[in-house]
Amino acid sequence: MTDRTPPGPSLAQLRALIAVADAGGFGEAAAEHSVSQSSLSEAVAKLEGLAGRPLLRRTPGGTVPTGAGERVLTHARAAVQAAADALLAAQEEGGGLSGRLRVASFRSTATHLLPPALAAFRRRHPGVTVSLLDAEACGGGPSAVKSGRVDLAVVVADDSSELALTPLIGDEYLFVAPASRGTHPASLADLAAQPLLLPPGRDSCHRRVRTYLAARGVPLTGVQEVEQDSVTLSMVGHGLGVTVMPRLALLPLPPGLVTLPLPEPLFRPLALAALPHRAGLPILRAFTGAVLAHLPASGLPVGEPSPLPVPVSAPPPN
């Protein structure tokens, strides 16, 4: 009996498509992956032949996927990841792990929360290369995990549906004003009386603060969007407004500022996110265990931002 099943794409062809789409061009992808441009072009051409339509198109801004290419990319990423996971699943946490782990994080958590875990994980599993990526540059932690661009991401738990979440800490939002204001408790009137400096509207912190204020009847007519946290804090220090930011984003607190609890507490529940079917892979479990073992022993301090408590070391769970 003759097998009439049409030929399927190879992993090499799928990897070529992903590489070019992510790099924005054949030359850029070839340089990044140390392969020839002609080999990438040939692989993508064969894949387009199998698909029966173009998957990439050249634009003045670079090479981008077509509509069909976008749909193919979703499955290409899943197929390439599944092939790699088949070998990762065979590893044992106690027997020495190897491979590559991509972790997306907010800048604040990458600075103040993850380094102890990264150091401990490297000592225990030197065969694993961990790449720490900016979640914002990846299009957001949840979407980066769902698309397969990263393996794990530090996310805000209630913004991350359809993912397997490991709770980390609650990061408290604080009212930030010039130190000349004094330390008497912050009120809702303080937030309405002067310009409120917030990150751009696409930022989850912006949305969370806006929702908090709207629910309490605080007018939002004086909101000014500022891209960089450091610029926001400098503007506050010069009396150009006030802001509300998570505690981790305020460490270390620049001079000339005072931080106070909000009239009613507001937190961002931080969690480590993975795709549900990948969360049990030994390499992901081991890294998750390292992060949990090196969280601040007593959570985040209350009041003025200060260095985080020294974490308590513990081996990752089996």
Side-chain angles (χ1 to χ4, degrees):
M1 180 176 178
T2 303
D3 184 359
R4 297 178 182 238
T5 303
S10 69
L11 287 176
Q13 292 165 353
L14 298 178
R15 289 192 185 100
L17 177 69
I18 295 168
V20 176
D22 287 351
F26 285 88
E28 294 85 347
E32 183 177 337
H33 295 275
S34 300
V35 297
S36 69
Q37 187 170 334
S38 60
S39 66
L40 288 176
S41 297
E42 182 181 355
V44 171
K46 288 182 177 178
L47 185 60
E48 290 178 325
L50 291 172
R53 53 186 46 82
L55 301 178
L56 298 171
R57 61 186 177 90
R58 288 179 170 84
T59 72
T63 301
V64 299
T66 62
E70 289 284 6
R71 297 190 295 274
V72 170
L73 274 168
T74 298
H75 297 280
R77 293 185 194 280
V80 170
Q81 187 64 71
D85 286 352
L87 297 180
L88 291 177
Q91 297 186 4
E92 299 286 347
E93 288 181 46
L97 300 175
S98 62
R100 181 186 174 203
L101 195 61
R102 301 155 300 169
V103 182
S105 174
F106 304 112
R107 291 187 184 98
S108 56
T109 51
T111 302
H112 301 292
L113 209 60
L114 294 184
L118 288 166
F121 185 81
R122 178 183 292 179
R123 289 193 299 269
R124 180 157 183 157
H125 303 289
V128 179
T129 299
V130 181
S131 299
L132 191 58
L133 308 173
D134 186 336
E136 186 175 325
C138 294
S143 62
V145 172
K146 291 176 184 178
S147 70
R149 290 178 181 270
V150 301
D151 304 295
L152 293 164
V154 178
V155 300
V156 178
D158 47 17
D159 291 340
S160 309
S161 60
E162 303 175 9
L163 295 176
L165 301 177
T166 300
L168 301 178
I169 58 171
D171 190 10
E172 183 184 10
Y173 283 80
L174 299 174
F175 172 73
V176 188
S180 58
R181 175 207 178 274
T183 58
H184 55 278
S187 67
L188 293 177
D190 289 321
L191 293 164
Q194 50 197 310
L196 179 61
L197 310 178
L198 292 178
R202 65 180 181 274
D203 189 283
S204 62
C205 287
H206 179 114
R207 298 192 299 271
R208 188 171 294 270
V209 172
R210 266 191 175 270
T211 300
Y212 172 92
L213 296 177
R216 290 158 181 80
V218 177
L220 301 172
T221 55
V223 173
Q224 181 177 347
E225 296 185 5
V226 182
E227 192 78 33
Q228 298 293 334
D229 289 349
S230 58
V231 176
T232 296
L233 296 177
S234 180
M235 292 175 67
V236 173
H238 285 83
L240 297 174
V242 297
T243 190
V244 176
M245 291 174 63
R247 181 182 300 277
L248 283 176
L250 293 167
L251 298 174
L253 185 68
L257 299 177
V258 64
T259 62
L260 298 162
L262 292 171
E264 298 175 44
L266 175 66
F267 292 85
R268 58 173 181 173
L270 298 176
L272 199 59
L275 288 171
H277 68 277
R278 302 191 71 227
L281 290 173
I283 192 170
L284 269 64
R285 288 181 54 194
F287 187 82
T288 300
V291 173
L292 291 175
H294 292 83
L295 290 176
S298 57
L300 296 175
V302 176
E304 292 286 334
S306 58
L308 295 176
V310 175
V312 175
S313 297
N318 294 323

